[in-house]
Amino acid sequence: CEKPIICDAFFYRDRVVAVVGGGDSAAEEATFLTKFASKVYLLVRRDEMRASKIMQQRVLDNEKIEILWSTQVADVLGADAVTGIRVADRKTGEERDIELDGFFLAIGHTPNSSTVSDWLDTDENGYILTAGDSTTTNIAGVFACGDVQDHVYHQAVTAAGTGCMAALE
């Protein structure tokens, strides 16, 4: 690549990623990621989305997005990097592994950091703490971005921007 910084920004180009959530944040994140990723799994824990009708339609119309209804994450796989996730069907309890390269939580304004709070430093409200003007956490090589660490702006644009920061860092 002639411009390494630009290449880093497109880290998820032609990769498989997953987004967890069923609201507008998740729908917007999944749709945005299809500009880069080859496939986006959208994991919705219920059998319907809470997103606005227009956002739902954008997701449903996008051939790169596969919605996994009534699905929750049982485990994130990989030792030094995310290599996949184990998902559980909430109706049958059946579990299966999905290989992927990126994993995003997009579950509204209450930070869903409980899955990592045993390892990452959080504030009293559960937001993951990051170094000033950075997405780095207390663990080397682990970055936090978007609503899980942003308790001020809560906007998809901010989440996308800090997501870019995390990819570059």
Side-chain angles (χ1 to χ4, degrees):
C1 182
E2 295 176 9
K3 298 181 180 180
I5 292 174
I6 292 173
C7 292
D8 287 345
F10 300 116
F11 180 75
Y12 293 106
R13 183 169 298 288
D14 300 324
R15 296 178 186 255
V16 178
V17 299
V19 175
V20 177
D24 282 336
S25 296
E28 187 167 357
E29 186 77 13
T31 302
F32 173 77
L33 285 166
T34 62
K35 294 178 182 181
F36 308 101
S38 59
K39 180 172 189 152
V40 177
Y41 288 100
L42 180 61
L43 284 65
V44 181
R45 71 174 185 219
R46 301 188 302 179
D47 54 5
E48 64 182 5
M49 294 176 69
R50 291 183 336 264
S52 64
K53 295 293 181 195
I54 192 165
M55 291 305 293
Q56 288 184 43
Q57 199 57 53
R58 286 180 187 163
V59 167
L60 293 169
D61 290 343
N62 194 315
E63 63 187 31
K64 285 187 170 183
I65 299 174
E66 180 179 339
I67 302 174
L68 302 179
W69 302 105
S70 300
T71 301
Q72 65 187 31
V73 177
D75 198 4
V76 178
L77 308 175
D80 296 322
V82 173
T83 59
I85 54 175
R86 179 164 296 130
V87 296
D89 183 301
R90 295 192 62 204
K91 293 180 180 178
T92 66
E94 181 182 334
E95 292 187 352
R96 70 180 173 119
D97 292 349
I98 300 173
E99 291 184 25
L100 48 83
D101 305 295
F103 178 71
F104 300 87
L105 296 174
I107 311 176
H109 296 300
T110 301
N112 191 2
S113 58
S114 61
T115 57
V116 297
S117 62
D118 287 344
W119 303 281
L120 298 179
D121 292 341
T122 59
D123 68 12
E124 64 276 359
N125 295 314
Y127 289 93
I128 297 173
L129 297 174
T130 55
D133 296 325
S134 176
T135 61
T136 59
T137 65
N138 60 295
I139 298 178
V142 177
F143 307 93
C145 59
D147 289 347
V148 77
Q149 61 81 232
D150 170 24
H151 63 278
V152 177
Y153 300 104
H154 300 293
Q155 296 176 5
V157 173
T158 303
T162 56
C164 179
M165 289 171 62
L168 291 171
E169 290 181 337

